[in-house]
Amino acid sequence: MPVPQALVKNASDEMLKALKDNKAELNQNPDKIYSLVEQILMPYFDFEKMSKLALGKNWRQLDNEQRVKFVEEFRLLLIRTYSTAMLEYTNEEIRLLPFRDDVSRKRVTVPMEVVQPAGPPIPMSLALYENDDNAWKVYDVKIDGVSLVTNYRSSFATQIRNKGVDNLISDLADRNAKLKS
């Protein structure tokens, strides 16, 4: 099994096990999911790269302080997005599909599907690249063919055009703060 695919399998298996092991506690305290997702899945993500892709050409307009703030707020938004999806987990199975990429290109897609007890499987894929430290990192997630990063790019671009980048960052911070409380 190629390294990126093995990494995805191990992280998925660990997350699914944590969901099962903590089921009763998660029912009592759904917020515990955030720490599980942060601890198990997030080390495999490159939030700066995801932020650059989500902002597209607008990334170049940001100064260093804005970049740091945006990456942090976008990271929190993504953690909350994944956490919400994980809370809805009800014994689905994640099935890896045949890996067709060449790891020597240092940029691959790991295809999989979420097999639901009732209903058709949901196609999903993770885009990974090998960074300068030879670690494979996720930089995009596609669910049913829709890129999470590209999806955010259009709404972020509109908000930056209409109200500016500082407004986008504070809006993300406000949404994240609401979710925390």
Side-chain angles (χ1 to χ4, degrees):
M1 180 180 290
V3 171
Q5 190 179 35
L7 181 139
V8 169
K9 180 180 181 359
N10 292 342
S12 299
D13 290 351
E14 190 179 342
M15 189 69 221
L16 295 179
K17 182 181 183 321
L19 288 169
K20 284 179 185 162
D21 292 351
N22 293 281
K23 191 171 181 65
E25 190 178 347
L26 287 167
N27 287 336
Q28 294 291 315
N29 180 14
D31 286 350
K32 179 170 174 45
I33 192 70
Y34 299 131
S35 62
L36 289 174
V37 168
E38 172 103 46
Q39 179 187 330
I40 296 169
L41 298 180
M42 295 303 121
Y44 299 106
F45 284 71
D46 182 335
F47 292 105
E48 184 167 328
K49 188 173 192 71
M50 293 176 90
S51 295
K52 285 179 186 175
L53 291 169
L55 287 181
K57 65 182 186 334
N58 289 305
W59 177 259
R60 293 190 298 272
Q61 295 176 24
L62 277 62
D63 62 33
N64 280 346
E65 186 181 339
Q66 289 171 318
R67 286 178 179 178
V68 168
K69 283 181 183 171
F70 179 80
V71 170
E72 177 57 18
E73 295 304 336
F74 190 49
R75 185 182 75 80
L76 287 171
L77 175 71
L78 293 174
I79 287 170
R80 300 197 183 292
T81 302
Y82 291 124
S83 297
T84 304
M86 293 293 144
L87 275 177
E88 293 171 15
Y89 171 79
T90 51
N91 295 323
E92 288 88 352
E93 173 197 346
I94 293 177
R95 182 183 306 142
L96 295 175
L97 299 174
F99 185 83
R100 301 199 188 320
D101 271 341
D102 177 1
V103 292
S104 69
R105 289 181 36 240
K106 296 182 179 266
R107 199 173 283 270
V108 299
T109 299
V110 175
M112 62 187 100
E113 58 188 12
V114 179
V115 182
Q116 306 176 92
I122 302 166
M124 190 175 159
S125 65
L126 297 179
L128 294 91
Y129 79 104
E130 190 175 17
N131 69 15
D132 294 339
D133 299 327
N134 297 337
W136 286 93
K137 297 287 185 176
V138 174
Y139 67 91
D140 197 7
V141 177
K142 285 186 179 176
I143 299 172
D144 220 353
V146 178
S147 158
L148 188 68
V149 170
T150 307
N151 208 24
Y152 281 117
R153 186 184 305 161
S154 55
S155 64
F156 288 169
T158 302
Q159 190 166 355
I160 290 170
R161 198 170 39 254
N162 293 337
K163 297 180 180 170
V165 73
D166 287 327
N167 180 274
L168 170 63
I169 294 168
S170 71
D171 187 50
L172 286 173
D174 289 348
R175 284 198 289 179
N176 287 331
K178 281 185 187 119
L179 290 167
K180 284 179 194 168
S181 53

